[in-house]
Amino acid sequence: MIVSRSTLVLLSLFSLATEASSFSTTSPPTVRPWKAVVSSGATRARQLTLPVVVSGGSLLSSSAVSGALALRGGSTVAFASYAGAGLGRDAACAAFGLVGATVWLKLWTMLAARGAVDPKLSRKIVHSGSAPLFMLTWPFFSDQPEARFVAALVPTAFMCRLLLARQGKQPELVKAISRSGDDREATGGPFLYVVVLIALTLGAWRDSLLAVVAISEMALGDGLADIVGRRFGARTGKWPALFTGGVQSSKSYAGSAAFAVGGFL
């Protein structure tokens, strides 16, 4: 069933109006003080007076109040536990990944600048290897649930560099990732590449084989398809127009095979 936006807005307003009317028919909430003794040492204690809402004549249970207080303290305890158990290890892994990615990028940029490697090939090698090399660091992170957030800082750092490149502040990076040398390409395909990498790191992490395959297809599959297709596409032939909507395809059998194989390497 298709529902228009105006209908959804009306339903939302009706729901809000219903909640407001039901709230107004009940007895108005009052506030009563609730005292809790908080130990601040072995020899002294102090009292905290907290407001407890009484709705409809029933007082909130002390367990509910103590649970709310424990929630705030629990997050602090959890962070302290992570800081002692895995934060240092995860920070070291993220730093290693960031340095490794920078070295990988500079290596192929330098080889292309010296004429040792074709710039198009250099760009595709950077494209193919960046994400898989980053995934190789995943097993070295801790088993703590916060580890994925620390790992995501690596592609996030490169996302910031891409934003700077869009403003003309990263000329070497633009040469390594763009086809024409235009700064605007930094926020095109390479930016989406990094966004997908961040999303799958945070959303799937090491728990999903599909995420690993998706990243491999995006990086290795797409990169190898271009490299193999340019080199062997003329020999193997291209896909007929029957499979491309009647338009002559630029995709070769060799490139498509490399794309399929690259995701499972």
Side-chain angles (χ1 to χ4, degrees):
M1 181 178 65
I2 301 176
V3 182
S4 63
R5 291 183 179 179
S6 59
T7 304
L8 291 175
V9 172
L10 290 176
L11 290 174
S12 301
L13 292 176
F14 177 76
S15 177
L16 290 174
T18 304
E19 290 290 337
S21 61
S22 62
F23 179 78
S24 62
T25 55
T26 60
S27 59
T30 58
V31 177
R32 294 180 182 173
W34 176 79
K35 294 184 178 181
V37 177
V38 180
S39 176
S40 59
T43 58
R44 66 186 184 89
R46 58 190 178 90
Q47 289 186 334
L48 293 179
T49 302
L50 302 177
V52 176
V53 177
V54 180
S55 178
S58 60
L59 180 66
L60 289 179
S61 63
S62 60
S63 60
V65 177
S66 61
L69 293 175
L71 183 61
R72 176 179 296 181
S75 60
T76 304
V77 172
F79 178 78
S81 175
Y82 172 58
L87 179 58
R89 173 181 173 180
D90 294 340
C93 290
F96 177 79
L98 185 60
V99 172
T102 303
V103 171
W104 174 259
L105 178 63
K106 284 189 173 295
L107 171 64
W108 294 104
T109 303
M110 180 184 65
L111 292 176
R114 293 183 177 181
V117 179
D118 182 74
K120 293 181 180 179
L121 178 61
S122 173
R123 182 173 59 84
K124 282 302 178 180
I125 292 177
V126 171
H127 175 94
S128 301
S130 297
L133 288 176
F134 171 58
M135 286 194 298
L136 287 178
T137 66
W138 286 7
F140 298 98
F141 283 85
S142 70
D143 295 331
Q144 300 295 321
E146 296 87 356
R148 67 181 67 195
F149 297 99
V150 180
L153 293 177
V154 177
T156 301
F158 275 90
M159 182 176 68
C160 295
R161 289 193 62 187
L162 290 173
L163 294 175
L164 292 175
R166 178 63 176 83
Q167 301 175 3
K169 298 180 180 180
Q170 295 282 326
E172 293 185 2
L173 181 61
V174 172
K175 292 180 181 179
I177 63 175
S178 67
R179 295 183 177 91
S180 61
D182 191 348
D183 296 339
R184 291 175 294 183
E185 290 189 33
T187 51
F191 190 81
L192 293 177
Y193 182 101
V194 174
V195 169
V196 170
L197 196 56
I198 295 172
L200 291 178
T201 301
L202 295 176
W205 191 221
R206 299 172 295 202
D207 304 326
S208 174
L209 179 61
L210 292 178
V212 175
V213 173
I215 293 175
S216 299
E217 288 289 1
M218 178 186 69
L220 273 173
D222 183 64
L224 289 179
D226 185 79
I227 295 173
V228 175
R230 289 178 184 274
R231 186 173 181 83
F232 302 104
R235 301 179 185 179
T236 61
K238 298 180 179 180
W239 287 95
L242 175 65
F243 297 98
T244 57
V247 180
Q248 180 61 41
S249 175
S250 61
K251 309 299 181 182
S252 65
Y253 295 122
S256 299
F259 176 83
V261 173
F264 294 93
L265 289 180

